[in-house]
Amino acid sequence: MRIRSLGVIDDAVVELSPGFTAVTGETGAGKTMVVTSLGLLLGGRADPALVRIGAKAAVVEGRIVMRPDAPAALRAEEAGAELDDGALLISRTVSAEGRSRAHVGGRSVPVGLLAELAEDLVAVHGQTDQQGLLRPARQRQALDRYAGDAVAVPLEKYAAAHRRLRAVSAELEEITTRARERAQEADLLRFGLDEIAAVEPVAGEDVELAAEAERLGHAESLASAAQVAHAALAGNVEDPEGVDAGALVAGAHRALESVRSHDPALGALAERIGELGILLGDVAGELAGYADDLDADPLRLAAVEERRAALTQLTRKYGSADNTVDSVLEWAERGSVRLLELDGDDERIDELTAERDGLRTELSALAQALTDARGEAATRFASAVTEELASLAMPHARVTIDIRQTEDPDGVEVGGRLVAYGPSGTDEVELLLAPHPGAQPRPIAKGASGGELSRVMLAVEVVFAGSDPVPTYLFDEVDAGVGGKAAIEVGRRLAKLAKSAQVVVVTHLPQVAAFADRQLLVEKTNDGSVTRSGVTVLEGEDRIRELSRMLAGHEDSLSARAHAEELLAAAQGSA
């Protein structure tokens, strides 16, 4: 990672080892900024207060090596990103005003995409996560992930059946509790459909009737206009001396025909005038037919207006905003479907009741399968955590997982009892600790002291991390409150985990740092900032000096140096 203008860090590059990387440094030197930087790359909340004073923005850039077929790589490619020589380049910018931008593989993306990628890239285990794992709901989720497909497969089926049961129960409750309202709705629909059926409207009928009413209402003026137009085109029999358009065009045609042989241009015009004469004749004939067919029938006009009034009454009551017969017919179609649904309430109630009972039976079987799978996984998980605790100087501690149900008369049947159920089954899961023989198992938040709790949670994290599919694990001072031999065992357990995954640990314990494949030192300059040279890889003498400082408070103590050399040799030898 390259970190610029973030907190105390001015400009620094952090190179993490493929195995176990320990990040150390004085209190306040900026170790937590490394964790914060990684959090930003993983889509964490952008806090403008993190931007270094005087800077316009903080920038974190990361290069993550991964397989081209890795889930994160495939998801990034869906967003338009590209891998760079087998690595995904991610950057996050946070302005001093609070604006945040993200880029993945050279493409600008929503910050939410970073959080999606993070699920397949990094598992963060820190003080905040410890507090989260103290909650029973999180403990159940952790156990389910540890159990793998043994729980995931029936849980997926259970969740689908649970969603369907909720939908069926809601519909059944609506039908039964709203029976009166639904009956009233059915009566109104039936009345409306009967009223429409009595009129028998036809699609588009209102438009046709409106045109006919307009024509019948002005029949005399239309007939007069047609007769006048006909006389102007074809002449008036009562006025043989009158001039009409047809006669004038015919005369023009004769005049040109007589001389067309002398000039082809006039011949062409003569043909066009001839066509005009034919067109005038056709129009005159149609006008004559129109006038003869037009009938000013008062009875037909009255019938049309009466029909229009009946249709208007329907459109006002059942039409939409356009008040057309077509919208009335659409209402009738929807009403018919709804009426069939309402009239079938009794039959639907029987169907839903049968489906509900079947789903409850299915949920009971799936809930029992979940309980059995969780019980088997809980035994393995508790045994693994107990074994880890023995390696963390708690040889007599015993961890168990309590899986219980709450009786509920409205619940589903599991193990011969009716118990409460939810989207994840019927089980309540809680991690219990008996710190020494004879002690009663208690919830880990109550059964462990501060130092013991850190070791218990670290054991849980290590065991749980072993079942996590992500390639990188970040432990942020989960070794707090641990020291001495227990601290050495913490380092040994983390080193063991690093054999199969990348592990990054922010620690203040030399016993833990000694087990790291790479140790990074974060230190400030004289002006209080961390520059590019402020994050260094410690090797040889430099690493001995830092371990001495962590042991004795200063790096020049001869006894601390001897202890550091011994600690480093022992750690590297046991690894």
Side-chain angles (χ1 to χ4, degrees):
M1 294 188 298
R2 184 179 182 185
I3 309 166
R4 287 178 288 170
S5 302
L6 184 70
V8 298
I9 298 181
D10 179 27
D11 189 346
V13 175
V14 180
E15 297 182 14
L16 305 177
S17 167
F20 180 3
T21 299
V23 181
T24 64
E26 293 276 8
T27 301
K31 300 189 299 299
T32 57
M33 286 298 103
V34 175
V35 179
T36 301
S37 300
L38 189 55
L40 288 174
L41 286 183
L42 301 178
R45 187 177 67 88
D47 185 354
L50 296 173
V51 179
R52 185 168 172 76
I53 297 175
K56 294 182 179 179
V59 181
V60 182
E61 299 168 299
R63 182 176 184 272
I64 305 176
V65 179
M66 62 180 66
R67 302 188 319 275
D69 60 346
L74 298 177
R75 179 66 185 92
E77 288 180 355
E78 289 178 5
E82 296 181 358
L83 291 181
D84 179 20
D85 193 23
L88 187 64
L89 303 180
I90 299 178
S91 70
R92 179 83 178 276
T93 302
V94 180
S95 72
E97 291 79 22
R99 295 187 301 273
S100 175
R101 298 193 308 273
H103 291 79
V104 175
R107 179 64 60 88
S108 178
V109 298
V111 174
L113 176 64
L114 300 185
E116 292 182 35
L117 298 179
E119 294 181 1
D120 297 313
L121 292 176
V122 180
V124 180
H125 302 285
Q127 297 291 344
T128 301
D129 300 274
Q130 283 190 16
Q131 296 304 315
L133 275 173
L134 294 179
R135 298 195 299 269
R138 283 287 304 277
Q139 292 174 15
R140 189 198 65 238
Q141 294 171 7
L143 178 63
D144 287 353
R145 292 185 64 181
Y146 177 82
D149 288 344
V151 166
V153 173
L155 181 58
E156 183 178 0
K157 296 178 181 178
Y158 176 94
H162 183 267
R163 287 192 298 270
R164 179 55 187 163
L165 177 59
R166 286 175 59 89
V168 168
S169 298
E171 184 179 354
L172 187 59
E173 182 178 1
E174 180 191 11
I175 293 177
T176 54
T177 58
R178 294 185 54 204
R180 177 176 298 179
E181 291 89 338
R182 293 169 70 90
Q184 292 174 346
E185 182 184 356
D187 288 342
L188 290 174
L189 285 173
R190 197 172 289 109
F191 176 83
L193 292 172
D194 290 344
E195 193 172 15
I196 294 172
V199 176
E200 296 182 344
V202 178
E205 182 183 6
D206 50 343
V207 177
E208 295 176 1
L209 289 175
E212 185 178 1
E214 185 73 13
R215 187 170 61 253
L216 290 173
H218 299 83
E220 293 184 1
S221 59
L222 292 173
S224 175
Q227 290 168 357
V228 170
H230 179 269
L233 295 178
N236 189 344
V237 295
E238 297 179 359
D239 183 13
E241 299 297 328
V243 179
D244 58 81
L248 293 174
V249 170
H253 184 259
R254 288 192 300 272
L256 295 180
E257 279 289 328
S258 63
V259 296
R260 67 179 297 171
S261 60
H262 303 303
D263 188 348
L266 286 181
L269 293 173
E271 291 180 1
R272 292 170 63 186
I273 292 176
E275 294 172 357
L276 181 59
I278 294 173
L279 180 60
L280 286 174
D282 290 344
V283 173
E286 291 183 14
L287 286 171
Y290 178 86
D292 291 341
D293 293 341
L294 192 62
D295 185 11
D297 184 356
L299 294 179
R300 174 56 187 167
L301 178 59
V304 168
E305 293 295 352
E306 182 179 357
R307 179 66 177 175
R308 291 184 67 199
L311 294 176
T312 299
Q313 186 177 12
L314 291 182
T315 58
R316 287 176 178 172
K317 296 175 68 173
Y318 307 110
S320 58
D322 56 1
N323 284 331
T324 63
V325 167
D326 288 352
S327 64
V328 172
L329 294 173
E330 291 174 2
W331 182 93
E333 183 177 358
R334 294 193 303 271
S336 297
V337 173
R338 177 61 174 164
L339 184 59
L340 287 175
E341 178 184 335
L342 295 172
D343 284 344
D345 273 359
D346 292 340
E347 181 179 348
R348 183 60 177 160
I349 288 175
D350 292 340
E351 292 176 355
L352 291 173
T353 301
E355 184 178 3
R356 181 197 62 189
D357 295 342
L359 286 168
R360 289 177 66 87
T361 300
E362 181 182 358
L363 277 185
S364 295
L366 290 171
Q368 183 65 64
L370 281 174
T371 299
D372 295 342
R374 283 171 176 152
E376 190 276 333
T379 300
R380 290 188 291 109
F381 188 84
S383 177
V385 173
T386 299
E387 183 178 347
E388 289 293 333
L389 288 177
S391 301
L392 293 174
M394 294 180 65
H396 303 297
R398 182 170 54 89
V399 169
T400 57
I401 295 182
D402 181 28
I403 300 177
R404 59 183 181 274
Q405 297 85 28
T406 301
E407 293 192 6
D408 184 349
D410 297 323
V412 296
E413 184 176 346
V414 175
R417 298 184 303 149
L418 290 177
V419 298
Y421 64 99
S424 300
T426 61
D427 302 318
E428 300 173 24
V429 175
E430 191 165 26
L431 195 62
L432 306 178
L433 171 70
H436 53 81
Q440 288 296 319
R442 301 180 63 194
I444 54 176
K446 302 177 181 178
S449 64
E452 289 175 336
L453 180 60
S454 294
R455 279 178 280 172
V456 171
M457 295 311 298
L458 180 57
V460 170
E461 298 285 13
V462 171
V463 172
F464 178 48
S467 67
D468 226 333
V470 297
T472 300
Y473 303 95
L474 172 63
F475 293 89
D476 180 18
E477 297 193 13
V478 292
D479 50 15
V482 178
K485 182 179 179 181
I488 294 176
E489 295 302 331
V490 168
R492 182 175 285 112
R493 307 316 289 169
L494 292 172
K496 179 182 177 182
L497 178 62
K499 293 184 181 299
S500 59
Q502 183 183 38
V503 176
V504 181
V505 178
V506 178
T507 182
H508 65 282
L509 293 180
Q511 297 93 329
V512 172
F515 280 89
D517 299 307
R518 171 177 293 173
Q519 183 173 347
L520 298 180
L521 173 63
V522 181
E523 57 183 347
K524 297 180 182 178
T525 58
N526 292 333
D527 64 357
S529 67
V530 177
T531 63
R532 179 181 293 270
S533 60
V535 180
T536 56
V537 178
L538 299 179
E539 296 179 348
E541 178 64 22
D542 292 335
R543 189 170 187 186
I544 295 295
R545 287 173 58 85
E546 171 62 7
L547 290 175
S548 298
R549 182 200 63 78
M550 297 173 72
L551 283 165
H554 58 88
E555 58 271 20
D556 295 325
S557 168
L558 295 179
S559 60
R561 285 179 56 83
H563 189 185
E565 291 174 353
E566 180 183 359
L567 183 63
L568 187 60
Q572 300 304 319
S574 65

